[in-house]
Short mmCIF file of all heavy atoms in Angstrom, two decimals:
data_model
loop_
_atom_site.label_atom_id
_atom_site.label_comp_id
_atom_site.label_asym_id
_atom_site.label_seq_id
_atom_site.Cartn_x
_atom_site.Cartn_y
_atom_site.Cartn_z
N ASP A 196 8.54 1.06 -3.20
CA ASP A 196 8.84 1.17 -1.73
C ASP A 196 10.14 0.42 -1.40
O ASP A 196 11.01 1.03 -0.78
CB ASP A 196 7.77 0.57 -0.98
CG ASP A 196 6.48 1.42 -1.14
OD1 ASP A 196 6.52 2.60 -1.54
OD2 ASP A 196 5.33 0.83 -0.87
N ARG A 197 10.26 -0.77 -1.89
CA ARG A 197 11.44 -1.54 -1.49
C ARG A 197 12.67 -1.09 -2.15
O ARG A 197 13.78 -1.09 -1.58
CB ARG A 197 11.14 -3.07 -1.90
CG ARG A 197 12.21 -4.05 -1.39
CD ARG A 197 11.80 -5.45 -1.21
NE ARG A 197 10.69 -5.86 -2.06
CZ ARG A 197 10.85 -6.51 -3.19
NH1 ARG A 197 12.03 -6.76 -3.62
NH2 ARG A 197 9.78 -6.92 -3.83
N GLU A 198 12.67 -0.78 -3.43
CA GLU A 198 13.83 -0.47 -4.15
C GLU A 198 14.03 1.10 -4.18
O GLU A 198 14.98 1.58 -4.87
CB GLU A 198 13.72 -0.92 -5.61
CG GLU A 198 13.55 -2.39 -5.76
CD GLU A 198 14.64 -3.29 -5.27
OE1 GLU A 198 15.78 -2.88 -5.49
OE2 GLU A 198 14.40 -4.28 -4.61
N LYS A 199 13.20 1.86 -3.48
CA LYS A 199 13.27 3.33 -3.44
C LYS A 199 13.23 3.88 -4.83
O LYS A 199 14.09 4.77 -5.25
CB LYS A 199 14.47 3.78 -2.63
CG LYS A 199 14.43 3.40 -1.24
CD LYS A 199 15.55 3.99 -0.41
CE LYS A 199 15.40 3.77 1.05
NZ LYS A 199 15.02 2.47 1.56
N LEU A 200 12.47 3.40 -5.75
CA LEU A 200 12.31 3.86 -7.08
C LEU A 200 11.46 5.16 -7.17
O LEU A 200 10.57 5.31 -6.37
CB LEU A 200 11.71 2.78 -8.03
CG LEU A 200 12.50 1.52 -8.18
CD1 LEU A 200 11.67 0.55 -8.97
CD2 LEU A 200 13.76 1.79 -8.91
N ALA A 201 11.77 6.00 -8.14
CA ALA A 201 10.87 6.97 -8.51
C ALA A 201 10.05 6.41 -9.66
O ALA A 201 10.65 6.20 -10.81
CB ALA A 201 11.59 8.25 -8.95
N THR A 202 8.77 6.12 -9.43
CA THR A 202 8.03 5.45 -10.52
C THR A 202 7.00 6.37 -11.10
O THR A 202 6.26 7.04 -10.36
CB THR A 202 7.28 4.23 -9.91
OG1 THR A 202 8.26 3.37 -9.30
CG2 THR A 202 6.58 3.44 -10.98
N ILE A 203 6.94 6.41 -12.40
CA ILE A 203 5.94 7.20 -13.13
C ILE A 203 5.21 6.29 -14.04
O ILE A 203 5.76 5.65 -14.88
CB ILE A 203 6.64 8.40 -13.95
CG1 ILE A 203 7.57 9.25 -13.08
CG2 ILE A 203 5.58 9.31 -14.56
CD1 ILE A 203 8.29 10.29 -13.75
N VAL A 204 3.85 6.34 -13.90
CA VAL A 204 3.02 5.37 -14.65
C VAL A 204 2.02 6.23 -15.35
O VAL A 204 1.26 6.99 -14.80
CB VAL A 204 2.27 4.43 -13.69
CG1 VAL A 204 1.54 3.32 -14.55
CG2 VAL A 204 3.17 3.81 -12.69
N VAL A 205 1.99 6.10 -16.73
CA VAL A 205 0.86 6.58 -17.53
C VAL A 205 -0.24 5.60 -17.55
O VAL A 205 0.01 4.40 -17.78
CB VAL A 205 1.35 6.88 -18.95
CG1 VAL A 205 0.14 7.15 -19.77
CG2 VAL A 205 2.31 8.05 -19.00
N THR A 206 -1.37 6.02 -17.14
CA THR A 206 -2.51 5.08 -17.12
C THR A 206 -3.88 5.71 -17.37
O THR A 206 -3.94 7.01 -17.23
CB THR A 206 -2.56 4.37 -15.71
OG1 THR A 206 -3.61 3.46 -15.75
CG2 THR A 206 -2.84 5.44 -14.61
N HIS A 207 -4.73 5.00 -17.93
CA HIS A 207 -6.14 5.46 -18.09
C HIS A 207 -7.08 4.96 -16.97
O HIS A 207 -8.24 5.39 -16.91
CB HIS A 207 -6.72 4.90 -19.42
CG HIS A 207 -6.20 5.80 -20.60
ND1 HIS A 207 -6.56 7.06 -20.82
CD2 HIS A 207 -5.38 5.43 -21.63
CE1 HIS A 207 -5.97 7.48 -21.92
NE2 HIS A 207 -5.21 6.56 -22.39
N ASP A 208 -6.51 4.11 -16.02
CA ASP A 208 -7.35 3.60 -15.00
C ASP A 208 -7.25 4.60 -13.75
O ASP A 208 -6.23 4.47 -12.95
CB ASP A 208 -6.91 2.20 -14.69
CG ASP A 208 -8.01 1.44 -13.79
OD1 ASP A 208 -8.49 2.17 -12.81
OD2 ASP A 208 -8.38 0.36 -14.14
N LEU A 209 -8.17 5.36 -13.54
CA LEU A 209 -8.11 6.37 -12.52
C LEU A 209 -8.23 5.76 -11.10
O LEU A 209 -7.63 6.11 -10.19
CB LEU A 209 -9.29 7.43 -12.72
CG LEU A 209 -9.30 8.13 -14.02
CD1 LEU A 209 -10.47 9.00 -14.11
CD2 LEU A 209 -7.98 8.96 -14.13
N ASN A 210 -8.93 4.57 -11.11
CA ASN A 210 -9.16 3.93 -9.77
C ASN A 210 -7.71 3.29 -9.29
O ASN A 210 -7.48 3.33 -8.12
CB ASN A 210 -10.25 2.96 -9.72
CG ASN A 210 -11.52 3.71 -9.60
OD1 ASN A 210 -11.81 4.53 -8.67
ND2 ASN A 210 -12.50 3.42 -10.47
N LEU A 211 -7.12 2.65 -10.31
CA LEU A 211 -5.82 2.03 -9.88
C LEU A 211 -4.84 3.14 -9.52
O LEU A 211 -4.05 2.98 -8.60
CB LEU A 211 -5.29 1.18 -11.15
CG LEU A 211 -5.99 -0.14 -11.35
CD1 LEU A 211 -5.42 -0.74 -12.70
CD2 LEU A 211 -5.62 -1.06 -10.21
N ALA A 212 -4.88 4.25 -10.35
CA ALA A 212 -4.00 5.29 -9.97
C ALA A 212 -4.21 5.87 -8.59
O ALA A 212 -3.30 6.17 -7.85
CB ALA A 212 -4.15 6.44 -10.95
N ARG A 213 -5.57 6.03 -8.29
CA ARG A 213 -5.90 6.55 -6.98
C ARG A 213 -5.47 5.70 -5.86
O ARG A 213 -5.06 6.06 -4.75
CB ARG A 213 -7.42 6.87 -7.02
CG ARG A 213 -7.82 7.66 -5.76
CD ARG A 213 -9.20 8.00 -5.81
NE ARG A 213 -9.59 8.49 -4.47
CZ ARG A 213 -9.89 9.70 -4.17
NH1 ARG A 213 -9.96 10.66 -5.05
NH2 ARG A 213 -10.17 10.01 -2.89
N ARG A 214 -5.60 4.35 -6.09
CA ARG A 214 -5.35 3.37 -5.02
C ARG A 214 -3.86 3.19 -4.84
O ARG A 214 -3.52 2.97 -3.73
CB ARG A 214 -6.05 2.05 -5.47
CG ARG A 214 -5.93 0.93 -4.47
CD ARG A 214 -6.71 -0.20 -4.84
NE ARG A 214 -6.44 -1.41 -4.17
CZ ARG A 214 -6.81 -2.65 -4.45
NH1 ARG A 214 -7.71 -2.78 -5.46
NH2 ARG A 214 -6.51 -3.71 -3.73
N PHE A 215 -3.08 3.17 -5.88
CA PHE A 215 -1.71 2.84 -5.71
C PHE A 215 -0.73 3.94 -5.71
O PHE A 215 0.47 3.77 -5.21
CB PHE A 215 -1.23 1.74 -6.75
CG PHE A 215 -1.96 0.38 -6.52
CD1 PHE A 215 -3.02 0.00 -7.25
CD2 PHE A 215 -1.43 -0.48 -5.54
CE1 PHE A 215 -3.61 -1.24 -7.01
CE2 PHE A 215 -2.04 -1.66 -5.36
CZ PHE A 215 -3.16 -2.08 -6.13
N SER A 216 -1.00 5.04 -6.37
CA SER A 216 0.07 6.09 -6.52
C SER A 216 0.04 7.11 -5.49
O SER A 216 -1.04 7.34 -4.85
CB SER A 216 -0.09 6.75 -7.95
OG SER A 216 -1.33 7.33 -8.02
N ASP A 217 1.15 7.73 -5.20
CA ASP A 217 1.22 8.78 -4.21
C ASP A 217 0.81 10.12 -4.75
O ASP A 217 0.13 10.83 -4.07
CB ASP A 217 2.68 8.95 -3.73
CG ASP A 217 3.22 7.61 -3.24
OD1 ASP A 217 2.72 7.14 -2.14
OD2 ASP A 217 4.10 7.05 -3.91
N ASP A 218 1.18 10.39 -5.91
CA ASP A 218 0.85 11.70 -6.58
C ASP A 218 0.30 11.43 -7.95
O ASP A 218 0.34 10.38 -8.53
CB ASP A 218 2.26 12.51 -6.79
CG ASP A 218 2.92 12.57 -5.52
OD1 ASP A 218 2.45 13.03 -4.51
OD2 ASP A 218 4.11 12.13 -5.38
N ALA A 219 -0.38 12.54 -8.47
CA ALA A 219 -0.92 12.30 -9.76
C ALA A 219 -0.70 13.62 -10.56
O ALA A 219 -0.62 14.78 -9.93
CB ALA A 219 -2.46 12.06 -9.63
N LEU A 220 -0.56 13.50 -11.81
CA LEU A 220 -0.39 14.60 -12.75
C LEU A 220 -1.54 14.48 -13.77
O LEU A 220 -1.62 13.48 -14.47
CB LEU A 220 0.88 14.64 -13.46
CG LEU A 220 1.20 15.72 -14.44
CD1 LEU A 220 1.30 17.11 -13.74
CD2 LEU A 220 2.46 15.36 -15.21
N LEU A 221 -2.39 15.48 -13.84
CA LEU A 221 -3.53 15.42 -14.74
C LEU A 221 -3.26 16.34 -15.96
O LEU A 221 -3.15 17.57 -15.75
CB LEU A 221 -4.78 15.78 -14.06
CG LEU A 221 -6.17 15.86 -14.80
CD1 LEU A 221 -6.51 14.50 -15.46
CD2 LEU A 221 -7.37 16.34 -13.99
N LEU A 222 -3.14 15.77 -17.13
CA LEU A 222 -2.89 16.56 -18.31
C LEU A 222 -4.05 16.72 -19.10
O LEU A 222 -4.99 15.83 -19.24
CB LEU A 222 -1.86 15.88 -19.13
CG LEU A 222 -0.34 15.88 -18.59
CD1 LEU A 222 0.54 15.10 -19.52
CD2 LEU A 222 0.17 17.29 -18.43
N SER A 223 -4.22 17.90 -19.73
CA SER A 223 -5.33 18.18 -20.64
C SER A 223 -4.79 18.94 -21.79
O SER A 223 -4.39 20.11 -21.59
CB SER A 223 -6.46 18.92 -19.84
OG SER A 223 -7.45 19.28 -20.77
N ALA A 224 -4.88 18.44 -22.95
CA ALA A 224 -4.50 19.04 -24.23
C ALA A 224 -3.10 19.72 -24.09
O ALA A 224 -2.84 20.83 -24.37
CB ALA A 224 -5.51 20.16 -24.59
N GLY A 225 -2.12 18.94 -23.49
CA GLY A 225 -0.76 19.39 -23.38
C GLY A 225 -0.50 20.25 -22.17
O GLY A 225 0.67 20.61 -21.97
N HIS A 226 -1.47 20.59 -21.36
CA HIS A 226 -1.27 21.51 -20.27
C HIS A 226 -1.46 20.71 -18.97
O HIS A 226 -2.21 19.75 -18.97
CB HIS A 226 -2.20 22.69 -20.33
CG HIS A 226 -1.95 23.51 -21.57
ND1 HIS A 226 -0.92 24.35 -21.74
CD2 HIS A 226 -2.69 23.57 -22.69
CE1 HIS A 226 -0.95 25.00 -22.92
NE2 HIS A 226 -2.11 24.48 -23.56
N VAL A 227 -0.81 21.23 -17.93
CA VAL A 227 -1.09 20.55 -16.59
C VAL A 227 -2.44 21.13 -16.04
O VAL A 227 -2.54 22.31 -15.72
CB VAL A 227 0.06 20.91 -15.62
CG1 VAL A 227 -0.23 20.40 -14.23
CG2 VAL A 227 1.34 20.40 -16.14
N ALA A 228 -3.41 20.25 -15.97
CA ALA A 228 -4.72 20.63 -15.46
C ALA A 228 -4.67 20.57 -13.89
O ALA A 228 -5.30 21.42 -13.24
CB ALA A 228 -5.77 19.73 -15.98
N ALA A 229 -3.93 19.64 -13.32
CA ALA A 229 -3.85 19.55 -11.90
C ALA A 229 -2.70 18.68 -11.58
O ALA A 229 -2.37 17.73 -12.30
CB ALA A 229 -5.08 19.09 -11.30
N LYS A 230 -2.04 18.98 -10.45
CA LYS A 230 -0.99 18.05 -9.96
C LYS A 230 -0.95 18.15 -8.43
O LYS A 230 -1.29 19.17 -7.81
CB LYS A 230 0.37 18.37 -10.60
CG LYS A 230 0.88 19.73 -10.22
CD LYS A 230 2.27 20.02 -10.89
CE LYS A 230 2.70 21.40 -10.51
NZ LYS A 230 4.05 21.66 -11.10
N GLY A 231 -0.50 17.13 -7.88
CA GLY A 231 -0.48 17.04 -6.39
C GLY A 231 -0.71 15.63 -5.86
O GLY A 231 -0.61 14.70 -6.63
N PRO A 232 -0.93 15.59 -4.59
CA PRO A 232 -1.24 14.22 -4.03
C PRO A 232 -2.45 13.54 -4.72
O PRO A 232 -3.43 14.34 -4.98
CB PRO A 232 -1.52 14.48 -2.46
CG PRO A 232 -0.79 15.76 -2.24
CD PRO A 232 -0.85 16.59 -3.49
N THR A 233 -2.45 12.35 -4.94
CA THR A 233 -3.44 11.72 -5.67
C THR A 233 -4.90 12.04 -5.23
O THR A 233 -5.70 12.34 -6.00
CB THR A 233 -3.24 10.22 -5.62
OG1 THR A 233 -1.96 9.88 -5.92
CG2 THR A 233 -4.21 9.40 -6.59
N GLU A 234 -5.06 12.02 -3.86
CA GLU A 234 -6.47 12.18 -3.38
C GLU A 234 -6.99 13.63 -3.55
O GLU A 234 -8.13 13.85 -3.45
CB GLU A 234 -6.53 11.76 -1.85
CG GLU A 234 -5.54 12.34 -0.95
CD GLU A 234 -4.14 11.63 -0.98
OE1 GLU A 234 -3.95 10.72 -1.78
OE2 GLU A 234 -3.24 12.00 -0.17
#
Side-chain angles (χ1 to χ4, degrees):
Chain A
D196 296 338
R197 185 158 26 98
E198 305 295 322
K199 296 187 169 45
L200 294 174
T202 304
I203 306 178
V204 190
V205 167
T206 182
H207 280 293
D208 193 315
L209 301 175
N210 282 310
L211 283 174
R213 192 174 163 113
R214 183 170 165 192
F215 289 101
S216 61
D217 304 293
D218 306 304
L220 176 72
L221 179 60
L222 289 178
S223 173
H226 300 285
V227 177
K230 63 180 180 179
T233 309
E234 51 279 4

